[in-house]
Amino acid sequence: MKVLGGAVALAAVICLAAGVGSGASQISGIAVDPGLIGVGAVGLALAYVTLRGATISTFLQIFLRLFAFEYVLLALAFASSSRGFWPAFLADATPPSTLCITIAVFGLIIYGLSYIPVIGQITRLADPYFEAADPIAAPMPWLRHRGWRERHLGTALIMLLVVINQLQVGISVRLSFFNRDWFNAIQNKDQAAFWSLLLTVFTFWAVIAIISNLIEYFFQQSLLIYWRQWLAKQYSTSWLGKGGIYRMGLIGDGADNPDQRIAEDIRSYLTDTYSYSITLIQQISTLVSFSLILWSMPAEFVLPGTNIVVPGLPFWVALAYSAFGTWITHRIGRPLVRLEFAQERYEANFRFSLARLREYAEQVALLRGERSELSILSGRFTDLVANYFRIVSRAMKLNTFTSFYGQISPILPYVIIAPYYFADKVTLGQMSQVAGAFGRVADALSYFVDRYRLIARYKANVDRLTTFSEALHKARTLGTTPPHIDVVPASGKDLAIEGLSLKLPDGREIVRAKALSLKAGSAVLVTGPSGSGKSTLFRAIAGIWPYGQGRIDIPSTAKVMLLPQRPYVPSGSLKTAATYPATAETYSDEAVREALKLAQLGPFADRIDDDENWGQRLSGGEQQRLAIARALLDKPDWLFLDEATSALDEKLEAEIYAMLRQQLPNTSIVSIGHRSTLIGMHDSRIEMQPASDGVFVPSPA
């Protein structure tokens, strides 16, 4: 940014130097060119903010860099043309001073926006993509070979889209002048000019506009899908990494419905962020360009009923009208942000209830729980409907005002300009051009009026992603601040616990283990009453329980596997379910079939390629045996069974344990169970016994 800031400063100084000693105006007896002086002065301000640009958001820096670069080119071109150095064949392409000043003002606006809190909230979500050093995932090998990263691709696409939008504004301005000349030809009954303008000027620029729209659409969609792909991967990785998927459920409302936030909220955020950044710049460009048209009308506009001349009266009317509309719209629509945020949560909760009901369809049917489920669904939908009607009520008030506002907008410019047309002070073409320019200026100034509800929904979406990001960070850092549970790779073969204290999320201590050692190669049964912290102890050993402190030494080369009471069965083929968490390609078909047979799932051995909803197709006992098959394939050094055979009958359970000891002779097995028959299947037992203060202590039995 320093080099670019220096270039901006140099271009500004050149304009100031070129503006002194030339021009029709004078300051203290010195001839000056107001255009060059204005371009130079605003350029110095742009140079200052460009030099400080490294302190603002990376996303906003992209726009600041682009506008600074454009200013350098345009300012030097304007200075050259003003001093007679501009090539004659490019005379029609000479940039006006207003364009240079407009570009510089854009840069100043971008810098100012960085200090608005809500803009900072939005850009904090956007910045990581434009700072990413990952190789590009887009199917563009020629860029990948050149060392391009995701940040390079995203930055290039943003800049390209901004330039395309600027060109589209230029096309609109050119068509505005076509409209003026065309209606003048109609008024003058000049048939030759009518057809010439239509077939040459309009046709040419209309084709360019269509082509630019198609190019913009392609690159816009490319940017959004690449950005979404990267962002979804980052959120998914953060959610699934380091036990985050489990810990998210422990930290409260900020983490509700992570599936929707990754699938839907990211998509909506990216689409709206593009719309409200690129198109807002387009609207500002439109505002400036068409304001100049309104300001430069040759007629002398006076206040109605007076002789007071007001230069650019249509512009001031558009400004006042739009400012009034924006203020009223904000007053009416402000509660929509809170209501839209709540609506997203109610919708997500209702969808989650339906998905959960489908998952537990068999259990609900067996318990005849349909009426209860209908009551639960009805309650959730009642909340959804109640909040929806609050939105409808507020939106009706907003729509009432914006409808009146929208109906008056097209008529207002004609009301202003018609008296001057009837007095022959302006032509029909000029009146048509003023009406069109007034409409474009009013639309640009009414940007927030027309989109207030959408912006409210966008703000709610940004809030949801922000709270989700904060929840992800909290989940990943939960239990990392000392004192905490330290799971340490050890050089020995045994698993040792020292000074361990496990707590519940509310801070109550549940397990205390001063010293506990589990011998490698042995089979240990952990027993105790329900709620005594047996499963919590296993979670701590697995490294996902964040509440507590102490040390757990696990052999550094050991492979650890924990089988819960209710196994997770992913969607896909039976082989995919049997090899989880490894991929299906990790093991041969024969190895998977053999593991299923050993786990007493022989009837399914020939169906490993069948793609069904195995989580519902298999019974509870079959799912537990499927998890046993995973252990046979994985061959862990330590196998923790958290009531992983509770759905089996005692005879089958004994056969499974005997098979495990035979097939995995080098595996240390640690089980949680309540059946007395399990005692004979293990070498030793640890009993969770309550101390005098109610905290459970694991003690050899």
Side-chain angles (χ1 to χ4, degrees):
M1 295 294 281
K2 291 183 178 179
V3 174
L4 186 56
V8 172
L10 179 61
V13 170
I14 290 174
C15 287
L16 289 173
V20 176
S22 64
S25 300
Q26 288 192 348
I27 298 178
S28 300
I30 301 175
V32 295
D33 185 324
L36 285 169
I37 296 299
V39 171
V42 76
L44 290 178
L46 178 62
Y48 172 76
V49 301
T50 304
L51 290 170
R52 291 184 51 83
T55 63
I56 68 173
S57 155
T58 303
F59 181 61
L60 294 180
Q61 283 183 37
I62 297 172
F63 298 94
L64 181 57
R65 285 194 187 100
L66 177 62
F67 295 141
F69 180 74
E70 289 179 337
Y71 171 83
V72 171
L73 296 181
L74 294 172
L76 292 177
F78 178 66
S80 299
S81 64
S82 298
R83 302 297 288 182
F85 300 121
W86 191 250
F89 69 91
L90 292 177
D92 292 338
T94 303
S97 61
T98 52
L99 180 58
C100 303
I101 293 173
T102 299
I103 293 296
V105 170
F106 281 170
L108 298 176
I109 291 173
I110 292 297
Y111 184 77
L113 288 175
S114 67
Y115 290 95
I116 299 176
V118 68
I119 300 298
Q121 182 184 4
I122 293 169
T123 56
R124 277 192 295 274
L125 296 172
D127 283 350
Y129 177 64
F130 297 97
E131 297 169 353
D134 310 45
I136 61 173
M140 300 177 182
W142 63 91
L143 293 181
R144 200 176 298 118
H145 294 328
R146 293 175 181 269
W148 273 47
R149 303 294 177 180
E150 285 287 350
R151 66 175 182 271
H152 300 138
L153 179 62
T155 299
L157 288 173
I158 285 285
M159 287 186 170
L160 177 61
L161 287 165
V162 171
V163 171
I164 290 174
N165 275 270
Q166 289 175 330
L167 291 175
Q168 289 172 340
V169 172
I171 293 172
S172 298
V173 172
R174 180 64 187 89
L175 289 175
S176 171
F177 283 96
F178 155 79
N179 190 69
R180 181 198 64 186
D181 297 338
W182 200 49
F183 274 93
N184 282 338
I186 294 173
Q187 182 182 25
N188 298 329
K189 296 182 172 57
D190 188 343
Q191 185 175 2
F194 175 89
W195 290 110
S196 175
L197 288 168
L198 181 64
L199 298 177
T200 57
V201 178
F202 174 78
T203 302
F204 174 78
W205 288 109
V207 170
I208 297 298
I210 292 171
I211 294 173
S212 71
N213 287 335
L214 293 174
I215 294 174
E216 180 196 17
Y217 176 78
F218 173 77
F219 286 113
Q220 171 193 337
Q221 296 304 313
S222 298
L223 170 66
L224 292 178
I225 195 61
Y226 297 147
W227 193 355
R228 182 184 177 188
Q229 180 183 23
W230 185 89
L231 201 56
K233 179 181 178 182
Q234 298 305 307
Y235 274 105
S236 299
T237 301
S238 183
W239 181 41
L240 295 172
K242 296 183 179 180
I245 190 172
Y246 172 73
R247 295 179 182 180
M248 286 284 284
L250 302 174
I251 60 177
D253 292 340
D256 68 280
N257 302 296
D259 52 326
Q260 180 190 348
R261 303 204 186 194
I262 293 175
E264 294 296 328
D265 290 352
I266 287 177
R267 179 183 58 80
S268 299
Y269 164 75
L270 295 179
T271 302
D272 292 340
T273 297
Y274 172 82
S275 175
Y276 298 130
S277 56
I278 304 294
T279 60
L280 183 58
I281 290 174
Q282 185 184 43
Q283 292 298 321
I284 296 174
S285 300
T286 299
L287 171 64
V288 173
S289 301
F290 285 92
S291 294
L292 293 174
I293 293 175
L294 293 181
W295 196 273
S296 61
M297 286 298 297
E300 290 189 348
F301 295 102
V302 297
L303 285 176
T306 72
N307 293 321
I308 301 174
V309 177
V310 181
L313 178 63
F315 168 77
W316 294 114
V317 173
L319 179 62
Y321 182 67
S322 301
F324 171 76
T326 301
W327 179 71
I328 295 296
T329 300
H330 178 65
R331 295 279 297 180
I332 298 173
R334 183 166 47 185
L336 283 172
V337 175
R338 172 179 49 81
L339 293 173
E340 293 287 359
F341 185 98
Q343 189 68 15
E344 289 292 333
R345 185 174 70 251
Y346 291 135
E347 294 278 4
N349 289 340
F350 182 66
R351 282 195 300 269
F352 178 76
S353 296
L354 291 172
R356 186 172 175 82
L357 178 59
R358 181 183 61 185
E359 182 180 359
Y360 289 93
E362 181 182 5
Q363 292 89 328
V364 171
L366 290 173
L367 291 171
R368 298 290 190 269
E370 292 88 348
R371 180 174 297 179
S372 177
E373 289 298 326
L374 281 173
S375 176
I376 293 172
L377 290 175
S378 177
R380 291 198 180 278
F381 201 76
T382 297
D383 293 338
L384 186 155
V385 170
N387 191 74
Y388 183 79
F389 275 110
R390 285 192 286 269
I391 292 176
V392 169
S393 175
R394 181 58 56 173
M396 286 182 64
K397 297 175 183 176
L398 182 62
N399 290 341
T400 300
F401 173 75
T402 55
S403 295
F404 277 108
Y405 182 91
Q407 291 295 326
I408 296 173
S409 294
I411 304 300
L412 190 57
Y414 289 101
V415 172
I416 297 171
I417 200 73
Y420 300 92
Y421 172 72
F422 294 135
D424 290 328
K425 293 183 178 180
V426 297
T427 65
L428 177 63
Q430 288 174 327
M431 184 171 73
S432 175
Q433 185 182 31
V434 167
F438 183 96
R440 298 298 294 269
V441 169
D443 287 345
L445 290 171
S446 304
Y447 184 80
F448 296 102
V449 174
D450 298 335
R451 298 166 178 81
Y452 196 91
R453 186 177 177 187
L454 296 176
I455 293 173
R457 189 174 299 167
Y458 173 52
K459 178 60 169 63
N461 182 258
V462 169
D463 289 342
R464 283 178 58 79
L465 272 182
T466 299
T467 56
F468 184 53
S469 298
E470 292 170 351
L472 282 174
H473 176 73
K474 184 177 179 180
R476 290 174 65 85
T477 58
L478 199 62
T480 60
T481 303
H484 58 81
I485 302 170
D486 199 6
V487 181
V488 182
S491 57
K493 294 184 178 181
D494 298 339
L495 190 151
I497 295 174
E498 296 181 11
L500 183 65
S501 171
L502 301 181
K503 298 180 179 180
L504 297 175
D506 60 9
R508 289 184 293 119
E509 188 178 20
I510 186 174
V511 174
R512 184 187 303 129
K514 292 183 178 180
L516 181 66
S517 178
L518 302 177
K519 299 296 182 182
S522 64
V524 180
L525 176 64
V526 180
T527 60
S530 296
S532 59
K534 303 184 297 297
S535 296
T536 304
L537 178 61
F538 273 25
R539 294 182 187 119
I541 293 172
I544 65 172
W545 188 256
Y547 303 106
Q549 63 186 70
R551 178 186 174 110
I552 301 175
D553 291 339
I554 297 180
S556 58
T557 58
K559 184 190 297 183
V560 179
M561 189 176 200
L562 193 151
L563 302 184
Q565 182 177 12
R566 186 183 172 210
Y568 169 65
V569 182
S571 58
S573 67
L574 182 59
K575 183 179 180 182
T576 298
T579 58
Y580 187 85
T583 60
E585 296 77 19
T586 305
Y587 304 101
S588 66
D589 290 354
E590 189 56 39
V592 174
R593 292 191 183 97
E594 181 63 23
L596 291 175
K597 291 175 182 177
L598 290 171
Q600 305 282 1
L601 291 173
F604 296 96
D606 294 328
R607 300 184 59 188
I608 61 174
D609 293 324
D610 290 3
D611 194 336
E612 294 189 26
N613 187 353
W614 293 105
Q616 293 185 351
R617 173 68 178 79
L618 299 176
S619 67
E622 288 170 337
Q623 290 183 38
Q624 288 189 338
R625 280 177 278 158
L626 181 67
I628 295 295
R630 294 172 183 169
L632 294 172
L633 291 169
D634 191 59
K635 295 180 174 56
D637 298 299
W638 288 83
L639 179 61
F640 292 86
L641 304 175
D642 186 357
E643 298 192 62
T645 57
S646 60
L648 309 181
D649 60 76
E650 292 182 357
K651 179 177 179 298
L652 182 55
E653 184 178 50
E655 292 174 356
I656 290 294
Y657 267 96
M659 180 272 298
L660 285 174
R661 298 298 294 270
Q662 180 182 4
Q663 296 295 322
L664 303 175
N666 298 320
T667 297
S668 307
I669 298 176
V670 184
S671 305
I672 291 176
H674 294 281
R675 292 175 180 169
S676 59
T677 53
L678 287 171
I679 297 176
M681 305 173 196
H682 295 80
D683 301 326
S684 60
R685 181 165 67 96
I686 293 175
E687 177 76 18
M688 302 294 290
Q689 298 179 347
S692 58
D693 57 358
V695 178
F696 288 90
V697 178
S699 306

